[in-house]
Amino acid sequence: MTELARKALLPAGLQDVLPGTAAREAEIREKLMASLAHAGYDRVKTPLVEFEESLLEGAAPELSTQTFRLMDPESRRMMGVRSDMTPQVGRIAATRLVDAPRPLRLSYSGDVLRIKGSHLRPERQFAQVGAELIGVSSAAADTEIVLLALEALDRINVPFVSVDLNLPTLPVRLFDAFGVKGDEREALIEALERRDVAALKGIDGKVTDVLVALLEAAGPAKTALPKLKKLELPLGASDELYRLIDVAERVLASGLDAALTIDPVEMAGFRYQTGVSFTLFAKNVRGEIGRGGRYRAGGTAGEAATGMSLYMDSILRGLPDGDAISRVYLPLGTPQREARQLRLDGHYTVAALEGAAEAKTEDGARIEARRMGCDFIYLGGQVMPLSA
Amino acid sequence: MTELARKALLPAGLQDVLPGTAAREAEIREKLMASLAHAGYDRVKTPLVEFEESLLEGAAPELSTQTFRLMDPESRRMMGVRSDMTPQVGRIAATRLVDAPRPLRLSYSGDVLRIKGSHLRPERQFAQVGAELIGVSSAAADTEIVLLALEALDRINVPFVSVDLNLPTLPVRLFDAFGVKGDEREALIEALERRDVAALKGIDGKVTDVLVALLEAAGPAKTALPKLKKLELPLGASDELYRLIDVAERVLASGLDAALTIDPVEMAGFRYQTGVSFTLFAKNVRGEIGRGGRYRAGGTAGEAATGMSLYMDSILRGLPDGDAISRVYLPLGTPQREARQLRLDGHYTVAALEGAAEAKTEDGARIEARRMGCDFIYLGGQVMPLSA
């Protein structure tokens, strides 16, 4: 490895975001946050690290093994680096904002750090934008969060968004209802995760027929809804499925321009959801661009809540590049007041600098302007195209 | 401690940023970043953690004891959590952007984490906005960075900004020139840091007269400049002082509206600076709101560079609160299309939600709108003041 390569080396899954991309990420992030703010979601900012117990309280057990720990020399207690922001927002709702009126609508953006990347998401640091709707357990709340995500993605013109509505708790509910335990349960979960109908059918039991019917019903909402409505499920499971159907019909009725699919037995990627959930996709982007769903804010005894997170890196991959910036070269001797006025007028300037490659003639200044990537030059009080 | 207080407890120096403040911080941050972008400074984003060696290469030794360490289970190497972003930007300049034309202008924003807060800055996590000008060692470059900081602060209307120009390397340069070593040097540095003229005079030696003269010259630029110009310093020290005077005169000539003071022997708070440096203050804000100065990007053998960082928390303390947002309550049954259009038109909406406190009558909706902090209500296709 060369000295240059050695210095540039970052830990796996971590990266420098370079000019152009970093500005684009910030622009898109703030547009998404603005969309959430306009829908009544108030921005909060959570700390990068906090005490391990509070960080992991109410979080999925899986998150604990994904969280880096730090010793705090001040308190001599262990802290964790945030690997998800939803539990932190839940903590804020349950403590500092315990007296704020419900429904409580909060939004956030920030980077999280994970110990290990996944196959589809090798990044270990990634930026999220998210929203939480806390204190309401209704189908209307489930629907609001789905539509909130779609409206935000629409604002930044992500093309061809689709929503997959899921019910990750349904299989477990069915196993309980049919008394399926132990190895058999594990085998069924594995077959479901592989979407392996043949394997499901090879396992004996009443629950199998239901699971196969649910798997086979999955697909675009228009075809899935009639099939799902015909299914007869045990009490409890049936209620949950009808909630899913209710939310799907509300989303369809909203008139928002996105494809809606339903896959009631999809469980992958849901860690703490307790009800109607969803995954967001965009054409030409591998893997999901966001997900969300119902959970308890602040742990199993916490308030009813639903929320969603959007993944900035995936979203940026689904968007065309931003417009290139046109820059105006300011030759040596440009008065500071004129330079400031140009910037106030919206120009992006690049000032010639004594001590750098200096150009004392107009031709020299044009050459220097090109070298610095400018399209325009400021001459005689005018912004002129460089090609002229 | 109550259960609520226990859950809300964060490690010392870390905090939740609540609604209102978090949005204000983001707004101000993006305005500052826009000001830097318009002056040709390209945004980059650095990782939260990276390998210890690369994170601390070229950084001040002091930074090492301020940096949290993490073991990376993937590489089994130690990583550090960023406690400053300047060395990271220097690394990017020296590696990924080694072939980009110079002068290289980069900007960044992000949160850093420190092991211990200081007396004036008890926060252990704080947000920075900064810029680096890499590849030029001239007084024009020093001046550009000072003016860049002032222009950015002017854009967000920080009232009564002042700049203190410093030369933190000057005392050391003088000690070397006068052969001052060991205990005597330590005693002089201590006296300088306390600005204790009596103590300085009590220490014998030629250097004392020079240091006292420099201390006594410190003050507003208009009075300090003539005094500093009269001083006779040893070669090397004299060149540095004349650079400081040159930069001061250029800043004064720029016509920017900020008070300029000069304090050539101020050393506190400068960790890696190698030349003309500065500290930024605002009226009614305790401590500095930013600082900057000349250094070597990527370590002692690196490129000539100068840069500055602005401290978001201090800046926010120096600004009036942002304008309060007016919210429009959308009663139950408001069509989604109309709600979206209101938001597209710039309104901030708060939708009634089935399952929350439901209001079926207009009077009920008005009560609910007030409870949710709205100033307007959407009735009959119109946004109406709530008080009407």
Side-chain angles (χ1 to χ4, degrees):
Chain A
M1 200 187 302
T2 65
E3 176 67 8
L4 199 67
R6 185 194 63 74
K7 280 192 179 176
L9 189 71
L10 290 173
L14 293 164
Q15 58 172 333
D16 297 318
V17 188
L18 297 183
T21 311
R24 180 83 169 137
E25 180 186 311
E27 175 204 344
I28 295 298
R29 180 189 68 218
E30 294 307 318
K31 281 188 181 170
L32 290 169
M33 291 302 290
S35 181
L36 304 182
H38 278 277
Y41 286 75
D42 279 324
R43 190 172 191 144
V44 293
K45 180 181 168 187
T46 66
L48 287 172
V49 302
E50 56 179 274
F51 289 129
E52 194 178 14
E53 313 92 85
S54 68
L55 192 66
L56 298 174
E57 187 165 11
E62 186 198 305
L63 214 58
S64 172
T65 61
Q66 276 288 38
T67 300
F68 281 105
R69 306 300 201 285
L70 293 170
M71 164 65 91
D72 178 17
E74 296 266 310
S75 61
R76 301 187 190 176
R77 289 170 61 191
M78 290 308 288
M79 305 190 296
V81 183
R82 69 185 182 203
S83 54
D84 191 0
M85 295 173 75
T86 299
Q88 293 188 300
V89 176
R91 177 183 54 71
I92 292 175
T95 56
R96 279 172 241 288
L97 298 179
V98 68
D99 294 326
R102 265 50 176 171
L104 183 62
R105 293 174 169 99
L106 299 175
S107 62
Y108 62 87
S109 79
D111 283 79
V112 299
L113 201 62
R114 303 232 167 125
I115 288 182
K116 210 170 153 47
S118 68
H119 178 63
L120 266 178
R121 176 170 290 283
E123 293 81 10
R124 294 200 289 168
Q125 174 182 338
F126 52 91
Q128 296 186 327
V129 160
E132 313 294 340
L133 174 52
I134 295 164
V136 189
S137 60
S138 65
D142 292 328
T143 308
E144 177 168 309
I145 282 290
V146 175
L147 295 181
L148 181 75
L150 293 177
E151 186 169 326
L153 293 169
D154 189 57
R155 272 300 178 101
I156 56 166
N157 300 312
V158 178
F160 304 107
V161 171
S162 63
V163 191
D164 196 34
L165 278 180
N166 313 122
L167 201 49
T169 49
L170 186 61
V172 172
R173 188 76 74 155
L174 290 170
F175 297 149
D176 290 346
F178 287 102
V180 179
K181 287 175 199 157
D183 288 352
E184 194 187 352
R185 188 186 275 226
E186 292 305 311
L188 285 167
I189 289 177
E190 265 184 45
L192 273 181
E193 281 178 351
R194 291 198 314 273
R195 314 189 70 74
D196 186 340
V197 174
L200 278 178
K201 287 183 173 167
I203 299 166
D204 200 33
K206 277 189 198 164
V207 74
T208 307
D209 296 341
V210 179
L211 291 174
V212 169
L214 285 166
L215 253 187
E216 288 179 344
K222 296 261 155 94
T223 55
L225 282 173
K227 289 183 198 166
L228 291 174
K229 284 182 183 173
K230 280 187 206 140
L231 290 181
E232 284 186 24
L233 301 193
L235 217 69
S238 169
D239 291 349
E240 288 211 23
L241 185 62
Y242 266 86
R243 163 63 74 95
L244 184 73
I245 290 167
D246 187 5
V247 173
E249 289 180 335
R250 286 167 184 260
V251 171
L252 285 175
S254 76
L256 221 115
D257 184 28
L260 181 68
T261 58
I262 305 180
D263 187 351
V265 289
E266 175 68 42
M267 299 168 79
F270 293 105
R271 294 184 313 272
Y272 50 78
Q273 276 75 9
T274 60
V276 172
S277 301
F278 59 99
T279 319
L280 296 159
F281 299 93
K283 202 178 170 183
N284 301 330
V285 182
R286 203 169 69 124
E288 73 268 19
I289 60 169
R291 62 169 67 229
R294 183 155 289 287
Y295 66 100
R296 293 262 159 204
T300 45
E303 280 182 280
T306 177
M308 62 91 184
S309 294
L310 303 173
Y311 309 140
M312 288 303 304
D313 47 0
S314 303
I315 287 172
L316 286 171
R317 280 195 284 272
L319 285 176
D321 288 340
D323 295 333
I325 284 174
S326 289
R327 296 169 193 273
V328 182
Y329 187 77
L330 308 178
L332 277 182
T334 304
Q336 291 286 350
R337 282 185 188 282
E338 292 176 35
R340 281 201 295 275
Q341 192 55 52
L342 286 168
R343 293 190 283 266
L344 279 174
D345 292 345
H347 289 291
Y348 291 84
T349 64
V350 174
L353 206 54
E354 284 169 51
E358 288 182 42
K360 313 245 181 212
T361 65
E362 194 181 307
D363 278 355
R366 286 178 187 276
I367 291 168
E368 196 42 24
R370 276 192 199 91
R371 189 180 72 85
M372 294 302 294
C374 296
D375 306 300
F376 295 89
I377 187 166
Y378 187 68
L379 287 174
Q382 299 285 325
V383 175
M384 317 274 286
L386 251 188
S387 50
Chain B
M1 199 185 305
T2 65
E3 176 67 8
L4 198 68
R6 185 195 62 75
K7 279 192 179 177
L9 189 70
L10 290 174
L14 293 164
Q15 59 171 332
D16 297 319
V17 187
L18 297 183
T21 312
R24 181 82 169 139
E25 181 186 311
E27 176 203 344
I28 295 296
R29 180 189 67 217
E30 294 306 317
K31 281 187 180 168
L32 290 170
M33 290 302 289
S35 181
L36 304 182
H38 278 277
Y41 286 75
D42 280 324
R43 190 172 192 144
V44 292
K45 180 181 169 187
T46 67
L48 287 172
V49 301
E50 56 178 274
F51 290 129
E52 195 177 13
E53 313 92 84
S54 68
L55 192 66
L56 298 173
E57 186 164 12
E62 187 197 306
L63 213 59
S64 172
T65 62
Q66 276 288 38
T67 300
F68 281 106
R69 306 300 201 285
L70 295 170
M71 164 64 92
D72 177 18
E74 297 265 311
S75 61
R76 302 189 189 174
R77 290 170 61 190
M78 290 309 287
M79 304 189 297
V81 182
R82 68 184 183 202
S83 54
D84 191 0
M85 295 173 76
T86 299
Q88 294 187 300
V89 176
R91 178 183 55 70
I92 291 175
T95 56
R96 278 171 242 287
L97 298 178
V98 67
D99 294 326
R102 264 50 176 175
L104 182 63
R105 293 174 168 99
L106 298 175
S107 62
Y108 61 88
S109 80
D111 283 79
V112 299
L113 201 63
R114 302 232 168 124
I115 288 182
K116 208 170 156 45
S118 69
H119 178 62
L120 265 178
R121 175 171 290 285
E123 294 83 9
R124 295 200 288 168
Q125 174 182 338
F126 53 91
Q128 296 185 328
V129 160
E132 313 295 339
L133 173 52
I134 296 164
V136 190
S137 60
S138 65
D142 292 328
T143 309
E144 177 169 308
I145 281 290
V146 174
L147 296 181
L148 181 76
L150 293 176
E151 186 169 327
L153 293 168
D154 188 57
R155 271 302 177 99
I156 56 166
N157 301 311
V158 177
F160 305 105
V161 172
S162 64
V163 191
D164 195 34
L165 278 180
N166 313 122
L167 200 49
T169 49
L170 186 62
V172 173
R173 188 74 73 153
L174 290 170
F175 298 149
D176 290 345
F178 286 103
V180 179
K181 289 176 198 156
D183 289 350
E184 196 187 349
R185 187 186 278 224
E186 292 304 314
L188 285 167
I189 288 178
E190 266 184 42
L192 273 181
E193 281 178 352
R194 291 198 315 271
R195 314 190 69 75
D196 186 340
V197 174
L200 278 178
K201 286 184 173 166
I203 299 166
D204 201 32
K206 278 187 197 164
V207 75
T208 305
D209 296 340
V210 179
L211 291 174
V212 169
L214 285 166
L215 253 187
E216 289 178 345
K222 296 260 155 93
T223 56
L225 281 173
K227 289 183 197 166
L228 291 174
K229 284 181 182 174
K230 279 188 207 140
L231 291 181
E232 284 185 22
L233 301 193
L235 219 69
S238 169
D239 291 348
E240 288 210 21
L241 185 62
Y242 267 85
R243 163 63 72 97
L244 184 73
I245 291 167
D246 187 4
V247 172
E249 290 181 334
R250 286 167 184 258
V251 172
L252 285 176
S254 75
L256 221 115
D257 184 28
L260 182 68
T261 58
I262 306 181
D263 187 352
V265 290
E266 175 68 42
M267 299 168 80
F270 294 105
R271 295 184 312 272
Y272 49 77
Q273 276 74 8
T274 60
V276 172
S277 300
F278 59 99
T279 319
L280 297 159
F281 299 93
K283 203 178 170 182
N284 300 331
V285 183
R286 202 169 70 124
E288 72 269 19
I289 60 169
R291 61 169 67 230
R294 182 155 290 287
Y295 66 99
R296 293 262 161 203
T300 46
E303 280 181 281
T306 177
M308 61 92 184
S309 294
L310 302 173
Y311 308 140
M312 288 304 303
D313 48 359
S314 303
I315 286 172
L316 286 172
R317 279 194 287 270
L319 285 176
D321 289 341
D323 296 332
I325 284 174
S326 288
R327 297 168 193 273
V328 181
Y329 186 76
L330 307 180
L332 277 182
T334 303
Q336 290 288 349
R337 282 185 189 284
E338 291 176 34
R340 280 202 295 275
Q341 190 57 50
L342 286 169
R343 294 190 282 268
L344 279 174
D345 293 345
H347 289 290
Y348 291 83
T349 65
V350 173
L353 206 54
E354 285 168 51
E358 289 181 42
K360 314 244 180 213
T361 65
E362 194 180 308
D363 277 355
R366 286 177 187 277
I367 291 168
E368 196 42 25
R370 276 193 198 92
R371 191 182 69 86
M372 294 301 294
C374 296
D375 306 300
F376 295 89
I377 186 166
Y378 186 68
L379 287 173
Q382 300 285 325
V383 175
M384 316 275 286
L386 251 187
S387 50

